[in-house]
């Protein structure tokens, strides 16, 4: 056979010309077109316009999407493209009613895609799947509550129940939910924080004495410099782009650190300013290898030490370090012992790139470090966060205007849920206040986090699983293992608005309890109610829905929790007077005020301040409530992941047309990908070296401690990503994330550092 004929059988070489990309700025006209299309398709013009007019307004409702804060001075259109998609999705005119479940069996629904399930619309009535049945059927609310109450009372031990929480739950519902669990006698309160920012809270609490961000929106817009680590604001927090644009226009320098070249970090055109040219965002873009953030941060800090030697007393904040920090000398010694050769090899960056970025931090008078799950979802996720804090502490970028730590939360009230006590490891002080207010002794032993909850269900140690929102089966790692674990429960309860995969992997008996959405009017005792939420920057604000509910049969989340509690506890003997909460929500907020610091006079303040009020934050005031009473420098080693020759490091990511597990559409506009989700993004050289070609289907195999997991049928996409790295969509690739691979201390699934190999699909 000639050389020519042989070459015809080989894949064509992959080049940079094969890269998918998006050549425009984020936002702009495309965002307007996308928003309009989703509104017209789902709620329709009139209902959709009415909803958007109330979105993020002082007398309206808080966005059910991300937790980015609202400015005090709000425009008429105070929302982003993806926030509008979230609203359109919730306010949809389509319905999933009892007739739908009569037509569709659970077996049939399991064959549908997650995108299809979500598109069917809002669930209108409480439904039950009785043991042995392949269909859901309607159930009256009272019967549903009695079924749950009976199951909880019949437990051999309270820890046989698990109460999971999604980040969209309001403060009022979350407080009642944790009260229900703790009166029952368990701290089994896993939540979505366990799977995303738990590493942030764990690392920051050890280093700073607070697990929340230390900056305000004004700080972001007025800072000298922003370092954005492992975050894609264009897709996951698009309203942040307006703040970045404001910062740039005031002269800020932005350094983006991300393995993928994301358009939302490169340039932004506000949809309200189509007449203006886009704003360039990142001045420096460091595309480091996935998981090498500690090495990069040490490189940045080595540059600070070198600059201090050249300009003694002008770079490091010696007064701050001496008076308000601990552990600096050990930290300095660690940096001095770390070689540039190691840093360059680990990150895949040129030393000059790192030095140029470091110069920004050295010259800045104020600086903010932002991050998301690109830092938290690694085995060394907590160490990543603590190195970011070290970076800030060296120049005193903490507790002063325009400076501090900014973990950017995902779900709209995930931070508020934790503040309300949704935590498997409550503090003694919180439990003492709860006991004093309600007259019972809450459990003191720590409960199950998400990983432990799955393991307990798998081992048959639990009998009842209740989920306040979310899609646990798809959000958790090791998808099939999680689903099988849930099926071992006797009863699963899903408090939901839309149909999802978790409804199809039930325990012996499965309940779907449909609740009001954020957009909808909430009437209690004939009076309209509001709930409250907490954003990423510790501001608490009211949220009032105005749309008529999708069904007259819906109940609010607080009312559903109340119904479960009333069916579980004997009113004559219960130390908690649950009937007190049967009606308007002011008594719930009075109880919150009695238990949670910072919520004093809650009802009066939430009405007095239409833009919300700020919760206390010690680190913001340089009051570090740590074990040392100071901000702590923490030494962490650089950790490498050993790879065989054919292996890659895979991270899971979200597309532009999804929010968490909810898939709005099958496109990812900013990455140039259309009508597909089972894709794997690879560097062109990694494609060529494996004898693959763009568009080819491959099967993915993950490798962990001798175990192998498999996910079939992923299309190869050439993308601007470092060699040796791969990216796939969440939740499709969650099946590859091992349950036992998680961050030390925080136990956050290591979804950004999964070792995989590829094989051509049959």
């Amino acid at each position: 056979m000639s050389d020519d004929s042989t070459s015809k059988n080989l894949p064509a070489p992959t080049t940079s010309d094969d890269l998918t990309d998006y050549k425009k700025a984020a936002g702009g006209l495309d965002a307007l077109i996308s928003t309009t299309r989703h509104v017209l398709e789902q709620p329709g013009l009139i209902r959709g316009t009415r909803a958007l007019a109330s979105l993020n307004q002082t007398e309206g409702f808080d966005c059910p999407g991300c937790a980015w804060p609202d400015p005090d001075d709000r425009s008429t259109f105070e929302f982003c493209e993806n926030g509008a998609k979230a609203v359109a999705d919730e306010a949809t005119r389509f319905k999933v009613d009892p007739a739908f479940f009569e037509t569709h069996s659970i077996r049939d629904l399991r064959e549908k895609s997650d995108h299809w399930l979500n598109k069917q619309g809002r669930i209108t009535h409480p439904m039950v799947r009785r043991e042995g049945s392949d269909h859901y059927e309607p159930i009256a609310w009272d019967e549903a509550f009695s079924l749950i109450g009976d199951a909880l009372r019949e437990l051999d031990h309270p820890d046989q129940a698990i109460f999971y929480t999604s980040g969209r739950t309001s403060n009022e519902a979350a407080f009642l939910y944790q009260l229900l669990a703790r009166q029952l006698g368990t701290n089994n309160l896993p939540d979505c924080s366990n799977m995303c920012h738990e590493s942030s809270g764990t690392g920051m609490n050890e280093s700073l004495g607070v697990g929340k961000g230390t900056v305000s929106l004004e700080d972001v817009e007025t800072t000298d410099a922003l370092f954005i680590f492992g975050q894609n604001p264009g897709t996951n927090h698009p309203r942040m782009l307006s703040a970045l644009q404001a910062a740039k226009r005031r002269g800020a320098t932005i350094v983006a650190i991300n393995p993928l070249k994301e358009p939302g970090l490169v340039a932004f055109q506000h949809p309200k300013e189509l007449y203006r040219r886009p704003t360039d965002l990142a001045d420096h873009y460091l595309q480091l290898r996935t998981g090498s953030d500690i090495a990069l941060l040490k490189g940045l800090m080595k540059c600070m030490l070198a600059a201090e030697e050249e300009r003694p007393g002008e770079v490091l904040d010696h007064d701050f370090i001496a008076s308000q920090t601990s552990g600096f000398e050990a930290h300095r010694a660690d940096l001095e012992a770390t070689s540039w050769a190691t840093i360059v090899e680990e990150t895949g960056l040129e030393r000059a790139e790192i030095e140029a970025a470091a110069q920004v931090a050295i010259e800045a008078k104020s600086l903010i470090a932002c991050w998301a799950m690109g830092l938290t979802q690694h085995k060394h996720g907590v160490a990543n966060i603590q190195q970011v804090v070290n970076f800030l502490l060296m120049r005193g970028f903490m507790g002063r205007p325009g400076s501090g730590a900014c973990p950017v939360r995902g779900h709209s009230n995930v931070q508020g849920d934790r503040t309300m006590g949704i935590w498997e490891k409550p503090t003694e002080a919180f439990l003492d206040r709860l006991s004093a207010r309600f007259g019972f002794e809450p459990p003191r032993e720590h409960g199950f986090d998400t990983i432990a909850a799955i393991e307990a269900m798998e081992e048959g140690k639990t009998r009842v699983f209740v989920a306040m929102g979310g899609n646990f089966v798809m959000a958790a790692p090791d998808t099939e293992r999680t689903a099988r674990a849930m099926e071992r429960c006797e009863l699963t309860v899903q408090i939901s608005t839309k149909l999802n995969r978790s409804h199809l992997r039930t325990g012996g008996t499965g309940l779907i309890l449909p609740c009001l959405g954020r957009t909808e009017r909430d009437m209690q005792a004939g009076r309209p109610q509001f709930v409250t939420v907490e954003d990423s920057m510790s501001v608490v604000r009211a949220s009032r829905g105005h749309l008529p509910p999708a069904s007259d049969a819906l109940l609010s989340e607080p009312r559903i929790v109340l119904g479960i509690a009333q069916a579980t506890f004997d009113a004559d003997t219960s130390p908690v007077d649950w009937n007190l909460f049967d009606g308007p929500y002011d008594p719930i907020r009075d109880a919150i005020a009695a238990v949670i610091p910072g919520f004093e006079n809650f009802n009066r303040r939430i009405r007095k301040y239409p833009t919300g009020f700020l919760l206390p934050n010690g680190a913001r005031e340089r009051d570090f409530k740590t074990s040392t009473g100071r901000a702590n420098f923490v030494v962490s080693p650089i950790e490498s992941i050993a790879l065989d020759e054919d292996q890659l490091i895979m991270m899971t990511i979200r597309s532009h047309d999804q929010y968490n597990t909810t898939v709005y559409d099958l496109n990812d506009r900013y990455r140039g990908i259309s009508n597909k989700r089972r894709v794997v993004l690879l560097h062109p050289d990694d494609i060529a070296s494996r004898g693959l070609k763009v568009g080819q289907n491959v099967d993915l195999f993950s490798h962990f401690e001798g175990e192998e997991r498999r996910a079939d049928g992923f299309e190869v996409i050439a993308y601007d990503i470092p060699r040796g790295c791969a990216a796939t969509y969440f939740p499709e690739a969650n099946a590859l994330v091992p349950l036992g691979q998680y961050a030390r201390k925080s136990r956050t699934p290591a979804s950004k550092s999964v070792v995989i190999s590829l094989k051509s699909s049959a």
Side-chain angles (χ1 to χ4, degrees):
M1 185 178 290
S2 70
D3 290 341
D4 287 344
S5 60
T6 302
S7 65
K8 292 177 183 178
N9 294 322
L10 295 175
T14 306
T15 70
S16 59
D17 293 336
D18 294 310
L19 291 176
T20 61
D21 61 4
Y22 181 74
K23 301 184 184 302
K24 306 176 187 178
L29 182 61
D30 285 354
L32 284 177
I33 294 171
S34 177
T35 297
T36 302
R37 181 173 65 83
H38 280 271
V39 168
L40 292 177
E41 286 180 356
Q42 293 298 314
L45 181 61
I46 296 175
R47 182 175 170 88
T49 302
R50 182 179 174 188
L52 293 179
S54 297
L55 179 54
N56 294 323
Q57 300 301 314
T58 53
E59 294 298 318
F61 62 93
D62 189 66
C63 181
C66 79
W68 189 252
D70 304 314
D72 289 343
D73 183 17
R74 308 196 183 166
S75 68
T76 304
F77 301 101
E78 195 58 58
F79 56 84
C80 67
E81 175 190 353
N82 281 10
K85 290 176 187 174
V87 169
D89 188 73
E90 178 177 288
T92 180
R93 64 184 184 275
F94 301 109
K95 307 290 175 64
V96 173
D97 57 14
F100 173 92
F101 288 107
E102 187 175 349
T103 302
H104 296 282
S105 69
I106 293 174
R107 183 181 294 107
D108 291 340
L109 291 173
R110 285 186 179 182
E111 299 301 315
K112 304 296 186 182
S113 70
D114 295 89
H115 174 238
W116 186 92
L117 293 173
N118 181 68
K119 284 289 187 183
Q120 302 316 297
R122 290 288 298 278
I123 303 169
T124 61
H125 292 75
M127 306 296 295
V128 61
R129 179 262 188 186
R130 301 190 189 276
E131 189 162 7
S133 175
D134 195 32
H135 282 265
Y136 276 99
E137 61 187 69
I139 185 172
W141 278 107
D142 286 348
E143 184 185 351
F145 291 145
S146 294
L147 196 158
I148 300 169
D150 290 345
L152 293 176
R153 286 196 306 273
E154 292 169 3
L155 297 176
D156 301 320
H157 190 279
D159 284 340
Q160 290 180 323
I162 295 171
F163 296 87
Y164 174 75
T165 317
S166 159
R168 284 175 62 171
T169 305
S170 68
N171 289 330
E172 289 76 8
F175 185 82
L176 291 187
Y177 197 58
Q178 64 82 29
L179 181 62
L180 163 66
R182 292 190 167 108
Q183 185 182 348
L184 184 68
T186 185
N187 282 316
N188 288 348
L189 285 156
D191 72 336
C192 57
S193 283
N194 295 152
M195 293 186 276
C196 55
H197 268 289
E198 197 70 54
S199 295
S200 297
T202 302
M204 291 178 68
N205 268 306
E206 290 184 1
S207 294
L208 299 173
V210 65
K212 303 179 180 182
T214 68
V215 300
S216 68
L217 187 57
E218 181 182 8
D219 288 327
V220 173
E221 294 180 349
T222 59
T223 188
D224 282 354
L226 285 138
F227 277 64
I228 303 174
F229 295 87
Q231 183 196 356
N232 177 19
T235 287
N236 300 328
H237 320 92
R239 279 201 299 155
M240 184 180 178
L241 297 180
S242 298
L244 296 180
Q245 184 182 64
K248 284 294 294 184
R249 288 176 175 174
R250 287 184 172 91
T253 302
I254 295 177
V255 179
I257 299 101
N258 200 312
L260 300 175
K261 181 63 72 71
E262 303 285 18
L265 289 168
V266 176
F268 172 62
Q269 183 179 43
H270 202 297
K272 294 188 296 186
E273 297 180 347
L274 298 181
Y275 57 89
R276 297 185 65 168
R277 70 172 300 277
T279 301
D280 294 331
L281 295 179
D283 299 275
H284 302 268
Y285 205 121
L286 306 183
Q287 288 185 258
L288 76 176
R289 290 197 182 106
T290 303
S292 64
D293 301 273
I294 291 177
L296 170 62
L297 282 155
K298 290 191 177 187
L300 295 172
M301 292 184 284
K302 280 180 72 72
C303 291
M304 289 182 181
L305 290 182
E308 175 66 22
E309 291 180 5
E310 295 176 2
R311 296 151 48 193
E314 296 182 20
V315 179
L316 303 187
D317 190 336
H318 292 283
D319 290 343
F320 172 73
I321 291 171
S323 65
Q324 295 187 280
T325 75
S326 174
F328 176 71
E329 290 306 319
H331 169 63
R332 181 203 289 270
D334 177 64
L335 294 180
E336 291 174 345
T338 304
S339 72
W340 272 108
T342 298
I343 292 168
V344 169
E345 180 181 1
E346 290 293 327
T347 62
L349 300 170
E350 298 292 336
R351 177 172 173 174
E353 293 180 85
I354 301 172
E355 290 174 334
Q359 195 62 31
V360 174
I362 291 167
E363 299 300 329
K365 297 294 187 286
S366 57
L367 183 148
I368 293 171
C370 307
W371 69 87
M373 288 179 283
L375 288 193
T376 64
Q377 291 182 324
H378 296 275
K379 187 175 181 180
H380 51 278
V382 173
N384 279 342
I385 306 312
Q386 292 176 329
Q387 289 301 313
V388 173
V389 173
N390 290 349
F391 172 66
L392 292 169
L393 295 180
M394 286 182 70
R395 300 206 61 229
F397 292 137
M398 185 63 61
R400 69 191 207 203
S403 298
C406 183
V408 184
R409 307 284 176 172
H411 251 149
S412 57
N413 197 43
V414 63
Q415 186 159 301
D417 287 352
R418 182 57 58 87
T419 301
M420 291 297 106
I422 300 293
W423 195 20
E424 75 280 358
K425 297 181 289 188
T427 65
E428 290 296 314
F430 172 83
L431 295 176
D432 289 343
R433 291 190 297 269
L434 197 69
S435 176
R437 171 63 179 80
F438 291 105
F440 72 90
E441 178 57 29
R444 301 282 170 163
E445 185 175 340
H446 290 173
F448 297 148
D449 60 14
T450 294
I451 298 294
I454 297 169
E455 292 173 337
M457 288 189 288
E458 186 176 49
E459 295 166 8
K461 295 179 179 179
T462 59
R463 295 165 59 185
V464 177
F465 177 91
V466 185
M468 177 76 82
N471 181 2
F472 188 81
V473 165
M474 296 307 294
D478 229 334
T479 309
E480 193 56 35
R481 185 175 174 185
T482 297
R484 290 195 303 268
M486 186 173 290
E487 289 173 340
R488 295 206 64 186
C489 293
E490 295 174 9
L491 172 67
T492 54
V493 182
Q494 305 287 341
I495 302 170
S496 309
T497 58
K498 306 282 289 290
L499 188 63
N500 65 53
R501 187 71 51 187
S502 295
H503 301 144
L504 311 179
R505 305 298 294 264
T506 73
T509 300
L511 282 170
I512 303 175
L513 305 183
C515 62
L516 294 172
R518 288 271 182 88
T519 59
E520 293 169 324
R521 187 168 54 244
D522 183 356
M523 301 292 290
Q524 301 296 326
R527 295 162 53 187
Q529 301 299 303
F530 65 85
V531 292
T532 60
V533 295
E534 179 186 347
D535 65 32
S536 273
M537 295 177 182
S538 303
V539 175
V540 178
R541 61 154 292 188
S543 179
R544 300 172 177 84
H546 295 287
L547 294 181
S551 164
D552 292 338
L554 303 183
L555 295 181
S556 70
E557 287 180 327
R559 183 64 189 82
I560 292 173
V561 179
L562 175 64
I564 296 173
Q566 289 174 323
T568 303
F569 305 114
D570 188 320
D572 294 331
T573 59
S574 172
V576 179
D577 182 5
W578 287 95
N579 291 330
L580 177 66
F581 305 126
D582 193 354
Y585 300 149
D586 279 13
I588 305 175
R589 287 187 283 270
D590 286 338
I592 292 171
V595 175
I596 314 292
F599 285 86
E600 297 77 13
N601 300 312
F602 191 2
N603 276 305
R604 180 182 64 81
R605 291 163 69 200
I606 200 64
R607 289 177 168 89
K608 181 178 180 180
Y609 303 109
T611 59
F613 62 85
L614 183 66
L615 294 177
N617 185 304
R620 187 185 289 126
E621 308 301 325
R622 291 192 168 182
D623 178 15
F624 303 110
K625 300 184 185 302
T626 65
S627 59
T628 64
R630 295 170 169 236
N632 296 317
F633 284 93
V634 179
V635 174
S636 305
I638 293 173
E639 299 188 44
S640 301
I641 298 178
L643 298 176
D644 292 341
E645 186 177 355
D646 66 333
Q647 292 178 339
L648 302 158
I649 294 291
M650 183 197 81
M651 60 177 173
T652 61
I653 58 176
R654 296 196 302 213
S655 78
H656 192 58
D657 266 347
Q658 76 175 106
Y659 191 75
N660 288 348
T661 59
T662 301
V663 178
Y664 304 132
D665 221 331
L666 302 179
N667 301 318
D668 193 353
R669 186 173 77 244
Y670 289 165
R671 297 193 182 103
I673 298 171
S674 300
N675 202 35
K676 63 189 75 169
R677 289 189 56 82
R678 292 186 78 83
V679 297
V680 55
L681 279 55
L682 301 171
H683 189 282
D685 290 350
D686 284 327
I687 298 173
S689 67
R690 286 161 174 76
L692 303 174
K693 60 183 179 180
V694 172
Q696 181 176 348
N697 274 7
V698 295
D699 301 331
L700 308 184
F701 300 82
S702 68
H703 309 278
F704 176 71
E705 296 184 350
E707 302 171 354
E708 185 175 270
R709 288 160 179 79
R710 175 174 181 160
D712 291 346
F714 283 71
E715 181 180 331
V716 172
I717 301 288
Y719 202 79
D720 190 356
I721 184 173
R723 285 210 65 177
C725 302
T728 52
Y729 289 135
F730 161 101
E732 284 81 358
N734 278 10
L736 297 168
V737 182
L739 187 66
Q741 182 177 325
Y742 48 76
R744 288 184 295 272
K745 296 184 180 180
S746 71
R747 291 167 56 87
T748 297
S751 303
K752 298 290 190 289
S753 52
V754 180
V755 176
I756 66 165
S757 58
L758 318 174
K759 293 182 182 178
S760 179
S761 296

